[in-house]
């Protein structure tokens, strides 16, 4: 896998929310909405990284399930009853789940078909366009990012990097943070192997998940409650703006994982 | 625990590395070095958040162990032999460890006495002031942050928020990211409970670990290889600049943890 070597970052990193994006509906031209909002805001996307919430990507792609159409299985009914939840929500979660990694009070920690490990297999009810709609993760979030990036390219200018982000919990630490579930035109992992630290010793810590750090940084300006689903990052090290993806670079193979 | 409600973030977030900090040695006045570097750079710290690498904090506090002074136990010798490591390094790791959570190929995932779960109990050899010195985590990183913050306060100006950051691995995802191990004058967790999302539905995801997102963002401009151990963040939501700490707010109690 191609990986960029990090270069000393002399630059200032700047993050801004991208305002003016209307509520997104299935079939909407999300790239068109993003480009229009950037034009309106006077923001240049080329050379930057666009971080887009999973939820608007999923909505544009029609990854929605109307709960009234769902007939919950016996397992979904039992889990829902034990946790005081909607059995139809549980049914959708189980359909998106490759494996339940842990079950805790009121939460299923699931491995999705992509290999993400997250609560409820990423199936969310909040911010959905109706009370009875579940929003699923994109089928292939890296491909979603690639499509957005291609559609945002302007003639004779480098296309921006694109990150599709979602909000995950963590082991051992309270609170959620945003991570990348897909990316295009930006590194997933930046490899420091072979570089030397400030004192000339070979470094022990080698691979930095810059795509997750960018997603986390972007969350700080999006604000979950303010309804701004996109942020623009400027000043990213140009060496990081290369082909990249989350599934191959960032998702750890179960065989290398001590906690699955 | 006091927690700020998040407000819609209209602002631009800006991150800059703080250059000109010399190699830090035990007993150094770290706050003095930071203030001098900021003056030199024309950076105003008040109203911002200073993110400081654990390693310089630990060095200033003298949290160093000379390996030649360490007499490894039988257990340290055995683990080191199996993994091809320095038994004295293993001995220091075990002394800093409250509990070994997992042992994988070449890595011990340890719960430290603080309650952090991380590789090698946070004991690091890279960037140390000599080949034979191990750098330990601060005794109380929140107190380290509070002391730095107090020493950085200027008359008639709010002191900056301070975060002590370190680089941790994660479950299920490859690559490391920076997280907060201590903070002062900045929220650990921002609570969204009771606020409503953009469509007026009560939110399901409630608590955002903004202190970890700030640490991750700061890593993007510090650059592990460039030897810049401090970043300054401007444009942070003023509601987040309140009393905060990592150990009480962010570290998950083992009883609430599904992965320990």
């Amino acid at each position: 896998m191609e990986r960029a070597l990090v270069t000393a970052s002399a630059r200032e990193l700047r993050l801004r929310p991208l305002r003016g994006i209307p509520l997104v509906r299935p079939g909407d031209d999300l790239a068109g909405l993003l480009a229009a909002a950037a034009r309106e805001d006077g923001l240049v996307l080329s050379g930057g990284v666009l971080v887009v919430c999973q939820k608007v990507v999923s909505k544009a792609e029609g990854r929605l399930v109307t709960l009234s159409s769902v007939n919950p299985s016996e397992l979904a009914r039992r889990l829902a009853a034990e946790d005081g939840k909607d059995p139809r929500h549980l049914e959708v979660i189980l359909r998106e789940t490759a494996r339940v990694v842990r079950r805790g009070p009121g939460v299923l920690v699931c491995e999705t078909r992509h290999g993400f490990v997250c609560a409820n297999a990423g199936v969310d009810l909040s911010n959905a366009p109706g009370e009875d709609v579940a929003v699923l993760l994109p089928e292939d979030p890296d491909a979603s990012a690639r499509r957005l990036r291609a559609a945002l390219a302007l003639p004779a200018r480098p296309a921006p990097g694109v990150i599709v982000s979602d909000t995950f919990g963590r082991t051992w630490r309270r609170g959620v943070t945003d991570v990348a579930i897909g990316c295009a035109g930006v590194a997933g992992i930046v490899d420091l192997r072979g570089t030397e630290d400030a004192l000339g010793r070979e470094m022990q810590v080698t691979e930095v998940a810059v795509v997750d750090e960018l997603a986390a940084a972007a969350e700080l300006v999006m604000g979950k409650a303010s309804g701004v689903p996109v942020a623009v990052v400027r000043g990213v090290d140009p060496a990081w703006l290369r082909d990249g993806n989350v599934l191959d670079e960032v998702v750890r193979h179960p065989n290398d994982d001590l906690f699955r």
Side-chain angles (χ1 to χ4, degrees), chain A:
Chain A
M1 194 179 332
E2 183 206 357
R3 291 219 182 98
L5 283 180
V6 76
T7 58
S9 169
R11 48 193 69 240
E12 184 180 62
L13 198 73
R14 301 180 306 283
L15 298 107
R16 277 178 60 179
L18 181 58
R19 302 187 174 282
I21 297 165
L23 284 181
V24 175
R25 293 172 208 284
D28 278 353
D29 169 20
L30 181 57
L33 297 175
L34 300 178
R39 266 196 310 275
E40 183 72 23
D41 219 1
L43 274 172
V44 176
L45 301 182
S46 177
V49 175
L50 213 60
V51 184
V52 187
C53 272
Q54 164 270 136
K55 212 162 286 177
V56 295
V57 175
S58 292
K59 284 181 190 174
E61 295 181 353
R63 294 280 292 156
L64 305 174
V65 174
T66 307
L67 289 191
S68 59
S69 72
V70 174
N71 186 17
S73 65
E74 266 315 300
L75 175 59
R77 286 180 196 279
R78 179 167 65 77
L79 295 174
E82 287 173 11
D83 286 346
K85 295 200 166 178
D86 186 328
R88 302 168 304 173
H89 185 199
L90 261 295
E91 176 62 28
V92 179
I93 292 168
L94 292 173
R95 289 179 190 171
E96 292 294 299
T97 297
R99 197 161 66 85
V100 175
V101 177
R102 288 286 194 290
R103 185 173 177 221
V107 66
L108 284 182
V109 181
C110 304
E111 184 179 319
T112 69
R113 282 171 291 105
H114 325 80
F116 301 126
V117 180
C118 58
N120 297 334
V123 177
D124 211 335
L125 299 180
S126 83
N127 258 329
E131 282 284 343
D132 60 345
V133 173
V135 185
L136 317 185
L137 295 187
E139 286 273 5
D140 180 346
D142 286 314
S144 304
R146 282 195 298 275
R147 283 192 298 268
L148 279 175
R149 175 171 150 83
L152 288 167
L154 294 175
R157 288 204 189 161
V162 174
I163 295 171
V164 179
S165 69
D166 198 5
T167 305
F168 282 9
R170 302 91 52 83
T171 48
W172 313 317
R173 297 177 79 84
R174 294 180 56 238
V176 292
T177 62
D178 273 19
V179 298
I181 63 169
C183 71
V186 58
I189 304 268
V190 170
D191 193 345
L192 293 171
R193 274 180 300 197
T195 66
E196 293 189 332
D197 68 21
L199 282 171
R201 301 196 50 215
E202 196 172 325
M203 297 197 63
Q204 301 182 299
V205 170
T206 54
E207 300 191 315
V208 180
V210 293
V211 76
D212 284 333
E213 295 189 328
L214 286 165
E219 199 282 321
L220 293 164
V221 299
M222 293 201 226
K224 294 195 186 322
S226 62
V228 178
V230 184
V232 179
V233 192
R234 312 273 324 167
V236 174
D237 191 326
W240 301 353
L241 299 178
R242 50 102 172 143
D243 278 349
N245 72 81
V246 170
L247 284 202
D248 288 347
E249 290 186 57
V250 181
V251 172
R252 183 174 282 158
H253 193 278
N255 292 354
D256 300 331
D257 201 315
L258 301 172
F259 296 92
R260 243 188 278 213

